[in-house]
């Protein structure tokens, strides 16, 4: 349940925030904000929650976990009110609206916290009550940047309702905590509220999160198991690859008996002694028909190999999904649960990458691959340093590959071969399968004046010849996909 107006009065009286400074703002989730305040000899963490049915403000002693990436409103508040002095913190007319008057440099700002279960919000305004921004932007209610902020003209509670709230000197939440902990030491009202929301209200929230997690897990597991079953069925269809090669051998063995224009040949299988019939293309002679069967064999064998790799990767992802779900079930902190669940359920295309291109991690080494001129240029400008190693195909267009430097470490040959294979694969030399590379450190790259984006001229370069290694590329592909598995918890 949300705090009532009487509880808010008691909490604010205990907090006594006037004269405090806001040191930092953290937004652990979309409906929660934490203000780290300091006043001579006293540091407090004030939590503000706008979740329906759990609207509150109180001091907390619990660790506030940061979100995976900074959220919009938190970034704004840190830019505008970090370091500001709280001149006044008041509850307006028992309307469950709290106004923070803030002084920052020569500017006075107003932060309104509205704790209504149906329409909670946190709104930052200037001194003229013009909205700078809001936690929830609601155009229908004119709660957007640049709009005037309107306070209620009169108390939202009737005199009878206000009297009933004020009569609740022993509030529900504090009474519930005292009943559950009869031997607990005396606590402040803020501590009682914090404990109650941690052990009761958050437990309810945790149940809802567990239900969401179960729904996500069931749907995702069903899709991935179906995909794995499809891969296994396709793999089974290639089980007779050896038969194609054996049939090709038989065709060549009986080539002297085969006349162009025949649709089949009957012969004795030298392995089993049985008579077998092999279908032929009447437009081709015996060697050409044998070549067709050899091609089928190679395609089936390669397909079986690729599918075995895909099946192993799918099974790894299923194990990661199980690990994610178990971690969610065991997590006790609902804020952390919400963060993990949000990370697990975000569509892959919406995940924000830390760098352009592809990232491979192996044995503590990182390899970055740019696939386009834009990615090459972005990596060069913002993501690599002078000591990082650069690889590129010689005299052939292609992507840039970087091996990130590790202090005191020399690049192992295995990592160099991985990077070399990636450089050839992401170039026009891929079809040829063999190419010459040059590699050097990024500090020896010189940009071409007025040249195309990302174009550089290397110096101090070394030479390397690479022939594509299919097994190595498959292992790298598995590493890349494992690294980007949605729902995997580090």
């Amino acid at each position: 349940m949300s705090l009532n107006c009487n509880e808010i009065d008691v909490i604010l009286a205990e907090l006594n925030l006037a004269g405090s400074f806001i040191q930092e703002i953290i937004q652990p989730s979309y409906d929660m904000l934490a203000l780290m305040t300091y006043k001579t000899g006293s540091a407090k963490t004030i939590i503000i929650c706008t979740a329906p049915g759990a609207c509150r403000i109180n001091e907390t002693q619990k660790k506030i976990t940061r979100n995976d990436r900074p959220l919009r409103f938190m970034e704004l508040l840190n830019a505008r009110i970090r370091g500001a002095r709280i001149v006044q913190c008041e509850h307006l007319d028992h309307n469950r609206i709290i106004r923070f008057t803030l002084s920052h440099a020569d500017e006075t700002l107003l932060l309104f916290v509205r704790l209504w279960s149906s329409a909670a919000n946190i709104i930052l305004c200037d001194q003229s009550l013009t909205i700078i921004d809001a936690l929830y932007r609601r155009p229908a209610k004119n709660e957007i940047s640049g709009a005037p902020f309107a306070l209620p003209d009169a108390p939202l509670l009737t005199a009878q309702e206000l009297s009933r709230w004020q009569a609740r000197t022993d509030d529900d939440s504090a009474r519930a905590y005292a009943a559950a902990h009869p031997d607990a030491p005396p606590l402040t009202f803020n501590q009682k509220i914090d404990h109650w929301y941690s052990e009761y209200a958050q437990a309810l929230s945790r149940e809802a999160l567990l239900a969401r997690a179960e729904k996500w897990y069931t749907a995702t597991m069903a899709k991935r198991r179906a995909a794995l079953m499809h891969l296994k069925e396709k793999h089974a269809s290639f089980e007779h690859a050896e038969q194609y090669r054996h049939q090709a051998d038989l065709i060549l063995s009986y080539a002297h008996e085969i006349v162009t224009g025949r649709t089949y040949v009957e012969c004795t299988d030298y392995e089993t002694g049985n008579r077998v019939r092999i279908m032929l293309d009447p437009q081709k002679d015996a060697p050409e028909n044998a070549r067709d069967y050899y091609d089928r064999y190679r395609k089936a064998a390669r397909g079986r190999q690729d599918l075995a790799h895909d099946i192993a990767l799918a099974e790894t992802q299923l194990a990661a999904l199980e690990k994610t779900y178990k971690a969610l079930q065991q997590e006790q902190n609902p804020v952390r649960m919400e963060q993990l669940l949000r990370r697990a359920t975000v569509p892959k295309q919406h995940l924000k990458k830390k760098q352009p291109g592809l990232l491979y991690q192996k044995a503590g080494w990182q390899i970055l691959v740019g696939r386009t001129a834009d990615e090459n240029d972005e990596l060069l400008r913002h993501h690599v340093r002078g000591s990082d190693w650069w690889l590129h195909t010689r005299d052939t267009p292609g992507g840039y590959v970087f091996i990130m430097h590790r202090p005191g470490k020399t690049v192992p040959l295995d990592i160099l071969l991985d990077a070399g294979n990636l450089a050839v694969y992401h170039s026009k030399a891929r079809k040829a399968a063999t190419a010459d590379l040059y590699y050097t450190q990024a500090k020896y790259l010189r940009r071409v004046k007025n040249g195309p984006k990302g174009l550089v001229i290397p110096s101090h370069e070394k030479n390397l010849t690479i022939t594509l290694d299919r097994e190595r590329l498959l292992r790298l592909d598995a590493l890349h996909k494992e690294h980007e598995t949605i729902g995997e918890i580090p």
Side-chain angles (χ1 to χ4, degrees), residues 160-400:
Q160 184 178 4
E161 289 173 329
L162 182 59
S163 176
R164 186 168 67 251
W165 282 123
Q166 290 176 331
R168 295 175 59 194
T169 54
D170 186 11
D171 61 281
D172 286 350
S173 53
R175 184 170 63 245
Y177 174 79
H181 304 79
D183 299 326
L187 299 175
T188 66
F189 192 80
N190 270 269
Q191 289 172 327
K192 291 179 182 179
I193 291 292
D194 191 36
H195 279 293
W196 190 86
Y197 276 101
S198 299
E199 298 182 21
Y200 293 91
Q202 285 193 356
L204 299 176
S205 176
R206 185 173 180 274
E207 289 178 7
L209 289 170
L210 284 174
R212 276 178 55 195
E214 183 179 8
K215 183 179 179 181
W216 160 76
Y217 169 77
T218 303
T220 307
M221 181 61 79
K223 289 180 182 178
R224 293 192 175 177
R225 280 179 175 162
L228 179 60
M229 184 66 68
H230 176 71
L231 288 173
K232 287 183 175 180
E233 290 173 355
K234 196 171 179 181
H235 185 266
S237 69
F238 289 135
E239 286 299 320
H240 304 294
E242 292 294 335
Q243 180 181 344
Y244 292 131
R245 183 172 65 175
H246 185 56
Q247 288 174 326
D249 292 342
L250 287 173
I251 291 173
L252 291 178
S253 297
Y254 288 89
H256 61 283
E257 298 181 6
I258 298 174
V259 179
T260 302
R262 296 185 59 179
T263 58
Y264 66 89
V265 61
E266 287 189 354
C267 57
T268 301
D269 188 338
Y270 55 78
E271 288 187 351
T272 64
N274 299 327
R275 295 290 290 178
V276 296
R277 175 178 290 188
I278 303 173
M279 304 308 295
L280 301 173
D281 184 344
Q283 303 297 321
K284 299 178 179 179
D285 59 17
E288 289 174 329
N289 274 288
R291 187 163 53 248
D292 285 348
Y293 275 94
Y294 281 130
D295 287 343
R296 291 186 199 176
Y297 160 72
R298 282 190 290 268
K299 182 178 179 181
R302 189 166 57 247
R304 185 171 57 184
Q305 185 182 30
D306 290 347
L307 285 169
H309 160 261
D310 291 343
I311 288 170
L313 180 60
E315 290 174 342
T316 300
Q317 291 176 337
L318 281 176
L321 180 62
E322 291 279 3
K323 178 183 175 183
T324 300
Y325 185 53
K326 287 181 180 178
L328 283 166
Q329 288 179 310
Q330 295 170 2
E331 180 61 56
Q332 298 299 316
N333 185 345
V335 175
R336 177 64 177 157
M337 280 183 68
E338 197 273 339
Q339 290 175 345
L340 295 177
L341 188 58
R342 185 168 65 249
R343 180 195 304 171
T345 54
V346 170
K348 185 174 180 178
Q349 60 269 28
H350 292 171
L351 291 176
K352 185 176 180 180
K353 295 169 66 175
K354 294 181 180 179
Q355 72 288 313
L358 303 176
L359 170 65
Y360 297 84
Q361 298 190 52
K362 180 179 177 181
W365 292 88
Q366 289 189 346
I367 301 175
L368 294 177
V369 180
R371 297 161 295 181
T372 65
D374 286 338
E375 290 183 352
N376 292 341
D377 188 64
E378 180 69 15
L379 288 173
L380 273 172
R381 289 180 180 275
H382 303 295
H383 298 277
V384 299
R385 297 186 177 183
S387 52
D388 298 329
W389 288 91
W390 169 86
L391 294 89
H392 189 263
T393 49
R394 182 182 289 275
D395 303 325
T396 305
Y400 291 172

Side-chain angles (χ1 to χ4, degrees), residues 25-230:
I25 301 100
I26 297 177
Q27 189 177 352
S29 63
Y30 293 106
D31 56 11
M32 193 172 291
L33 197 71
L35 303 178
M36 312 301 182
T37 67
Y38 178 79
K39 193 176 185 178
T40 306
S42 174
K44 296 179 181 178
T45 300
I46 312 302
I47 193 78
I48 302 171
C49 180
T50 59
C55 296
R56 70 185 189 277
I57 179 172
N58 63 273
E59 181 184 2
T60 183
Q61 302 296 326
K62 294 179 174 54
K63 181 180 179 180
I64 303 299
T65 56
R66 295 178 181 274
N67 198 39
D68 293 338
R69 57 180 179 178
L71 299 177
R72 169 191 58 82
F73 193 58
M74 183 193 78
E75 292 287 89
L76 170 84
L77 292 184
N78 271 310
R80 297 299 298 266
I81 67 172
R82 184 174 181 175
R85 180 174 178 270
I86 302 175
V87 178
Q88 191 176 22
C89 177
E90 53 188 330
H91 184 192
L92 303 179
D93 297 326
H94 299 285
N95 281 339
R96 288 170 292 161
I97 298 177
I98 302 165
R99 179 174 63 197
F100 288 83
T101 304
L102 308 173
S103 174
H104 191 225
D106 297 330
E107 186 178 31
T108 298
L109 298 174
L110 302 172
L111 184 70
F112 292 94
V113 178
R114 188 172 61 213
L115 299 177
W116 301 352
S117 285
S118 58
N121 208 349
I122 303 174
I123 301 171
L124 181 66
C125 301
D126 61 18
Q127 201 167 6
S128 64
L129 291 185
T130 299
I131 296 176
I132 297 172
D133 208 347
L135 177 65
Y136 303 114
R137 292 170 174 169
R138 296 183 175 125
K141 296 186 177 181
N142 209 31
E143 293 179 356
I144 56 175
S145 299
F149 178 66
L151 287 167
D153 295 330
L156 296 179
L157 297 175
T158 64
Q160 184 178 4
E161 289 173 329
L162 182 59
S163 176
R164 186 168 67 251
W165 282 123
Q166 290 176 331
R168 295 175 59 194
T169 54
D170 186 11
D171 61 281
D172 286 350
S173 53
R175 184 170 63 245
Y177 174 79
H181 304 79
D183 299 326
L187 299 175
T188 66
F189 192 80
N190 270 269
Q191 289 172 327
K192 291 179 182 179
I193 291 292
D194 191 36
H195 279 293
W196 190 86
Y197 276 101
S198 299
E199 298 182 21
Y200 293 91
Q202 285 193 356
L204 299 176
S205 176
R206 185 173 180 274
E207 289 178 7
L209 289 170
L210 284 174
R212 276 178 55 195
E214 183 179 8
K215 183 179 179 181
W216 160 76
Y217 169 77
T218 303
T220 307
M221 181 61 79
K223 289 180 182 178
R224 293 192 175 177
R225 280 179 175 162
L228 179 60
M229 184 66 68
H230 176 71

Side-chain angles (χ1 to χ4, degrees), residues 360-366 403-404 406 409-412 415:
Y360 297 84
Q361 298 190 52
K362 180 179 177 181
W365 292 88
Q366 289 189 346
I403 304 174
M404 310 308 285
R406 295 176 64 189
K409 301 286 185 180
T410 300
V411 178
I415 298 298

